[in-house]
Amino acid sequence: MSEDTATQVQRYIAAWNETEPQARRRAVAALFTEDARYVDPLVDVRGHDGIEAAIAAVHQQFPGWVFRLAGPVDAHHDQVRFTWSLGPEGEEPPVVGSDVAVTDGDGRFDRVHGFLDRVPQQ
């Protein structure tokens, strides 16, 4: 795995933590291809607008919660996988997930497949 891949994943986590709409749009545009697809059990969106809206929805549902990288980044060829967590700062995160992303070869995500490994009981 290259340093660039680890940096790209850190930028991805930072984009999911961005609460300021203009900065979030810039982060999404820098990280994702124009027609990128993000899909997890709760959402299936395409393009910068769809991805930005999905991130905004998480902030609306869980105000003040933060995403953190929750393990090593593993990559080969044009694929990268990593585990993340979501929860209040300084507390045990109630949500843990894993993402598998496919890059375009130029350092941008083209597809991200998300999985929810742990979610709070409703």
Side-chain angles (χ1 to χ4, degrees), residues 72-100:
V73 176
D74 186 24
H76 67 82
H77 296 88
D78 62 350
Q79 300 177 94
V80 59
R81 70 176 174 169
F82 50 93
T83 300
W84 50 264
S85 64
L86 173 65
E89 189 70 56
E91 296 181 24
E92 180 67 23
V95 180
V96 176
S98 301
D99 287 357
V100 176

Side-chain angles (χ1 to χ4, degrees), residues 5-23:
T5 302
T7 300
Q8 183 182 24
V9 170
Q10 290 292 350
R11 288 175 46 229
Y12 174 85
I13 297 292
W16 278 89
N17 283 326
E18 183 56 64
T19 57
E20 199 285 308
Q22 293 285 36

Side-chain angles (χ1 to χ4, degrees), residues 33-54:
T33 60
E34 290 291 326
D35 60 345
R37 179 180 182 206
Y38 175 87
V39 61
D40 69 24
L42 306 175
V43 68
D44 185 350
V45 295
R46 287 190 180 274
H48 295 167
D49 289 344
I51 294 167
E52 195 275 328

Side-chain angles (χ1 to χ4, degrees), residues 52-81:
E52 195 275 328
I55 295 171
V58 170
H59 288 287
Q60 187 172 26
Q61 185 174 1
F62 303 106
W65 286 22
V66 294
F67 284 90
R68 293 181 282 279
L69 193 58
V73 176
D74 186 24
H76 67 82
H77 296 88
D78 62 350
Q79 300 177 94
V80 59
R81 70 176 174 169

